Amino acid sequence: CHEVAMKFFQQHNGDSQLSIATMANCHIDCAWLWTYEETIRKCGRSFASTTRLMDEYPDLNFVCSQAQQYEWVKSTYPSVYRRMQEKAKTGQFIPVGGTWVEMDANMP
């Protein structure tokens, strides 16, 4: 992996047609070693901070893959949820994934 990365980063402009994209994400376990109430607070704080950073950094993109967290923020922090919706319309706050919550599983 390091060898491939070094080869890529040593190329000069025009030597490669690859591009790199980064997406911000915060991993919040819905059922970890804390209460659901703490998880909900973590979601509210994380998403509020992220939408504020998007104002300062318009190229910032953020992905969230847990629909349950959207639901918690919508019902508990409606102003934060509205900001998330605004940023989704600009393409900055991006829903991803296909499960209600992220599961801790390795699938073949």
Side-chain angles (χ1 to χ4, degrees), residues 6 8 13 16 19 29 38 44 51-52 58-59 67 70 72-73 82-83 87 91 93 102 104-108:
M6 290 308 299
F8 174 78
N13 289 340
S16 171
S19 61
D29 280 313
E38 182 59 25
T51 54
R52 276 195 304 272
D59 291 335
Y70 288 105
W72 281 332
V73 172
R82 285 191 296 276
R83 291 277 292 145
K87 296 304 182 180
F93 206 106
E102 292 176 357
D104 290 331
N106 292 322
M107 302 174 81

Side-chain angles (χ1 to χ4, degrees), residues 20-94:
I20 296 175
T22 58
M23 306 299 275
N25 177 46
C26 61
H27 178 78
I28 302 172
D29 280 313
C30 290
W32 183 236
L33 300 176
W34 49 63
T35 63
Y36 285 121
E37 291 76 18
E38 182 59 25
T39 304
I40 295 166
R41 284 190 295 271
K42 287 179 181 293
C43 292
R45 285 191 307 265
S46 296
F47 300 158
S49 297
T50 298
T51 54
R52 276 195 304 272
L53 285 169
M54 288 173 175
D55 292 334
E56 189 174 344
Y57 302 99
D59 291 335
L60 172 62
N61 293 318
F62 181 87
V63 297
C64 178
S65 61
Q66 300 189 72
Q68 178 62 65
Q69 294 176 356
Y70 288 105
E71 187 62 33
W72 281 332
V73 172
K74 181 180 180 180
S75 63
T76 310
Y77 304 103
S79 63
V80 174
Y81 186 76
R82 285 191 296 276
R83 291 277 292 145
M84 291 163 59
Q85 288 178 307
E86 291 170 11
K87 296 304 182 180
K89 288 177 184 174
T90 66
Q92 290 177 277
F93 206 106
I94 305 165

